[in-house]
Amino acid sequence: MPGVGDRIWSVPVDRHVRFDALHNFRDLGGYRTADGRRIRPGRLYRTDSLGKLAPGTPDWSRFLSLGITTVIDLRHDWEADRSGRIPRDDSFTYHNLSIEHRPYNQAALAPEVDPGPYLAERYMEVAEDGAKEIRAALELVTESAESNTPLAFHCASGKDRTGELAALILSLLGVDEPTVIEDFSLTELATPALLEDWQNRNEGKSPNWLGFGRAPESVMRLFLKSLKAKYGSVEGYVTQALGMDAESVSQTLRENLLEPTPTTWQPLTFRKATPEDAETLVRLRDSLALWMLARGIDQWKPSEKDATHFKTRMSEGEVWLAHSGDHLCGAYELWWTDEAAWGPRPGDAGYIHRLMTTPHLAPPNAGRELLRHAESRIRDAARPYARLDCLSTNPRLRTYYESAGYTVVGEQPEKDGGLGSPYAVTLLEKRLS
């Protein structure tokens, strides 16, 4: 099922920088701000422990090629000593600023304890206990911004302490709260690899605490709610708890780290997906699910569709990828039958599913271009109708498709999408000229 305009089915697939040893290394560039600008790519990176890097490896060369001149390690000093620090190099300065003063024992939690409220409370402790170190970290970020040099910050898994500092920086840059929450939750894409690393370090055992490596959106949502309840805003926290001039910090960051949103884009190019693209499509969809959850849209969940799903769709229909230059900007599935939603029908239509675009990276109106391409494929098959469905509880989505020329022709109250529980969808179709 596609989403609301070019925004609901959106995923920052290219935000992750690929490493062998690192699983959560991300560029914060490309996020848009309320005033219509965006964060410059290649200036701010958040990651899991850089202590996993080793000189002489492709990972090390890849890291050095980014031109990072400042590294902030948010772990305890004993933790960094035990697990390893980033190797020394003259190209960057290293700062160990442990913002966490009270180690917490998540492993001791009872299975019924919801990790969301628990972690949000710990984040508030860190925000207040580590005020001195957080201030120092923000000063380094500001200095890096002013000197036009890239900076990276990390903790162990790049989730909790890293996520907290990232939320403060993004908020000061003017990124809206749903995107701040989305950025936090993207660690979910790295959870399986982080879990595998833990098991490799612990003789194949599994961690005994709930939600290891997880970053549910509820954690950051609750933390920001608590921070605002006490300080009024992120800026209020920076002023009152950190003793900084929040307005000045914000202005400096915005002047040096933001740029106008591009007005020209390379045109979209399309290619048919192959089985080798299946994992990319899974990651695209999972990221979209996190995008939706961060915005309170309870529709897709991560891990609902695996590589086998997309390979099946390729064999029984078509799956297409859209790129702008080297960047993946979207994808869609084209089915030739859809009895679950539409019942038995003659071969007079193509059925469009999982129309996905990347709002942080895709050109404007990419969703419409994907629709037009799908419609062209249906015409080429000599079928007169394009059909699709959307959740009946999503009126914005229905409006989007109506604005693209689709007409509501019915409701299916109990569609079985193969996820275990039926749901109601609105049926829409478009007569193709």
Side-chain angles (χ1 to χ4, degrees), residues 364-430:
N365 300 314
R368 291 293 177 88
E369 289 195 49
L370 286 162
L371 272 178
R372 285 193 287 269
H373 187 270
E375 291 162 6
S376 74
R377 295 296 302 166
I378 297 169
R379 287 193 193 92
D380 290 346
R383 299 192 176 205
Y385 292 100
R387 293 186 178 128
L388 48 82
D389 64 78
C390 65
L391 279 183
S392 299
T393 55
N394 197 335
R396 287 178 56 202
L397 179 53
R398 167 178 165 169
T399 300
Y400 173 73
Y401 286 118
E402 288 179 322
S403 70
Y406 286 78
T407 301
V408 174
V409 294
E411 298 283 333
Q412 166 55 274
E414 293 189 335
K415 177 181 176 179
D416 182 0
L419 298 177
S421 59
Y423 48 90
V425 295
T426 300
L427 306 176
L428 300 99
E429 72 176 18
K430 181 178 183 179

Side-chain angles (χ1 to χ4, degrees), residues 72 205 227 239 299 307 366 407:
I72 303 174
K205 300 175 183 177
L227 197 73
T239 298
Q299 191 160 321
T407 301

Side-chain angles (χ1 to χ4, degrees), residues 242-264:
L242 306 187
M244 303 177 77
D245 184 340
E247 183 177 351
S248 176
V249 172
S250 178
Q251 181 177 346
T252 299
L253 294 179
R254 296 183 192 203
E255 287 177 353
N256 292 280
L257 292 177
L258 299 184
E259 65 181 10
T261 300
T263 56
T264 59

